[in-house]
Amino acid sequence: MMRSDHSRASKLLEELVRSVLPVLLALIVAGLIILAMGSNPLDFFAGVWTYGVTGLNWQRSLVLMAPLLIVAVGLIIAFRGQLWNLGYNGQYLLGAVVASGFGPYLFEALPGWLATLVIFVGSLAVGAVWSLVPAILKARYGTNEIITSLVMSFIGVGVANLLIKGPFKDTTTPQPQTAVIADENLLAYIPGTNIHIGLIFALVLACVAQFVFSRTSFGMRMDIFGASPKAARHMGINSTWMVILLFALSSGLIAFAGAIDVLGQYSYQRANWNPHYGDAVMPFVFLARLNPIAAIPLVGFYAVLATGGTLAAQQAGLNVDFLLVIVGLILIFMTITEYVGEKRRLGQSYLPHGLKRTLLRPFQGVAGRKDS
């Protein structure tokens, strides 16, 4: 019994190290880059803490965490099914434009709660429909969904911008943007805070997703399909409908995050605006091993980094895009840790077998050339 407890604790420690190590290494390298650019990395990281946590700044971080966590859950759904949904930018912006474009008219014509419900359902539907092209091509013809989802993302970004510059443009301002939604029609705040209830929606969604994945027959079928589509077909799982359903759920939730963001804090949408939430949270989704509950603290960490890092980067003389450099470093070190961990059997893999095979393919090619 003691040996079993020791083994379980050792495995948990190994997995914790494997999840935390890429973040620590990325922060160390980021600090060296800041130092090489003539700034003090300690001042930058102190600024992240000051502007992201202290005072009331933690509330700003939690507001940002709401759409990030919803996007993360959407990505987890696709990745657990061994599907690469990389169309998140277009899906998010289309969901946002449903809220920002139709919102001002819906709130005038309908009661506030009903208009909000219509916007949420509309954004979910638009995201789901936008995923049909890559989903059907993948399910029926085996087309690489990385390419098709990226193409649909570019088209979605363009469609959102065209709508903002065209039929949804606010004619009272020269800027290409939608009309501003009145404050009384935005999402309510959690009592005693400046955090909108979209955060509660996101946390509940993560918990529900965790329950579905681990406690329901659908979650089991999804994991079987993600592990081996051939085995899933032998068990009577319709692979075509599974691909379409997982893509629709993933894309719909990402579009829903866009609507939450508009109704939660922005109240309008400008052309050519794109927060790139999917790019930012993808490494943390993998570090959480596609576990929605485990993704909560990791997404929270990035929300603090993004909220505090924006001002900290400006004060350090850095471009705010430096935050994406940190995210990229995390992804690089996660890939290296995955490779080393696979060789040494260090903890559980971040990825299902199919995604892991794709991620490690470049390393396998290098290893093969060395062997020859």
Side-chain angles (χ1 to χ4, degrees):
M1 183 67 177
M2 292 180 61
R3 181 178 298 177
S4 176
D5 292 341
H6 180 269
S7 176
R8 189 180 300 111
S10 177
K11 182 179 178 181
L12 181 62
L13 179 61
E14 289 174 348
E15 292 180 2
L16 181 62
V17 169
R18 192 164 172 170
S19 293
V20 174
L21 186 61
V23 178
L24 292 178
L25 291 174
L27 293 178
I28 291 171
V29 173
L32 294 175
I33 293 174
I34 295 172
L35 189 63
M37 297 178 69
S39 299
N40 189 335
L42 296 180
D43 290 342
F44 171 77
F45 292 121
V48 171
W49 177 262
T50 299
Y51 301 121
V53 178
T54 61
L56 295 178
N57 290 321
W58 62 274
Q59 297 189 26
R60 295 172 54 237
S61 297
L62 289 181
V63 168
L64 176 60
M65 182 179 172
L68 287 172
L69 185 55
I70 297 173
V71 171
V73 174
L75 292 176
I76 287 172
I77 291 173
F79 293 156
R80 285 183 77 111
Q82 201 174 312
L83 299 170
W84 287 93
N85 177 15
L86 300 187
Y88 38 74
N89 287 327
Q91 294 154 12
Y92 170 90
L93 291 176
L94 287 172
V97 86
V98 168
S100 61
F102 291 104
Y105 306 104
L106 289 173
F107 283 114
E108 287 183 2
L110 300 172
W113 67 270
L114 183 57
T116 302
L117 180 61
V118 170
I119 289 171
F120 285 167
V121 172
S123 64
L124 285 165
V126 166
V129 169
W130 202 253
S131 73
L132 287 179
V133 171
I136 293 174
L137 289 176
K138 170 70 174 180
R140 298 300 299 272
Y141 306 106
T143 307
N144 190 320
E145 74 275 17
I146 295 177
I147 298 172
T148 53
S149 62
L150 281 173
V151 170
M152 292 302 293
S153 180
F154 290 134
I155 297 174
V157 171
V159 168
N161 285 326
L162 287 173
L163 290 172
I164 295 169
K165 296 175 182 179
F168 291 159
K169 184 180 183 301
D170 183 4
T171 57
T172 63
T173 176
Q175 295 290 338
Q177 67 178 53
T178 62
V180 177
I181 299 173
D183 289 345
E184 61 268 20
N185 294 323
L186 299 179
L187 296 179
Y189 290 141
I190 298 172
T193 72
N194 292 322
I195 306 168
H196 61 77
I197 59 173
L199 178 64
I200 296 178
F201 294 162
L203 293 172
V204 170
L205 179 63
C207 293
V208 170
Q210 182 67 41
F211 176 81
V212 170
F213 295 158
S214 60
R215 302 292 182 183
T216 67
S217 60
F218 175 75
M220 182 182 68
R221 291 197 301 270
M222 183 173 64
D223 286 342
I224 293 172
F225 177 78
S228 173
K230 291 183 179 179
R233 284 194 292 271
H234 284 300
M235 294 186 64
I237 298 174
N238 188 318
S239 60
T240 298
W241 284 109
M242 184 62 77
V243 169
I244 293 173
L245 178 59
L246 293 182
F247 249 111
L249 290 173
S250 173
S251 303
L253 287 178
I254 294 171
F256 176 63
I260 286 285
D261 224 10
V262 169
L263 295 184
Q265 61 171 331
Y266 288 114
S267 75
Y268 71 98
Q269 186 175 355
R270 285 186 173 177
N272 303 318
W273 168 74
N274 187 354
H276 296 280
Y277 287 156
D279 299 322
V281 301
M282 186 180 293
F284 302 102
V285 163
F286 291 144
L287 289 174
R289 293 180 176 80
L290 308 185
N291 185 312
I293 296 297
I296 293 175
L298 290 167
V299 171
F301 164 79
Y302 177 75
V304 171
L305 178 65
T307 301
T310 301
L311 289 175
Q314 292 173 353
Q315 290 190 350
L318 303 169
N319 191 289
V320 294
D321 290 337
F322 184 73
L323 298 176
L324 290 178
V325 173
I326 297 177
V327 172
L329 288 171
I330 293 173
L331 189 57
I332 290 172
F333 283 114
M334 187 202 78
T335 306
I336 296 173
T337 306
E338 174 76 9
Y339 176 72
V340 175
E342 184 69 14
K343 290 295 183 183
R344 301 186 59 185
R345 294 294 186 267
L346 177 61
Q348 178 187 348
S349 173
Y350 301 120
L351 309 171
H353 179 69
L355 296 185
K356 180 172 65 178
R357 185 174 61 249
T358 302
L359 185 65
L360 296 182
R361 190 172 295 160
F363 291 96
Q364 293 167 350
V366 172
R369 286 194 295 271
K370 286 183 178 180
D371 292 340
S372 61

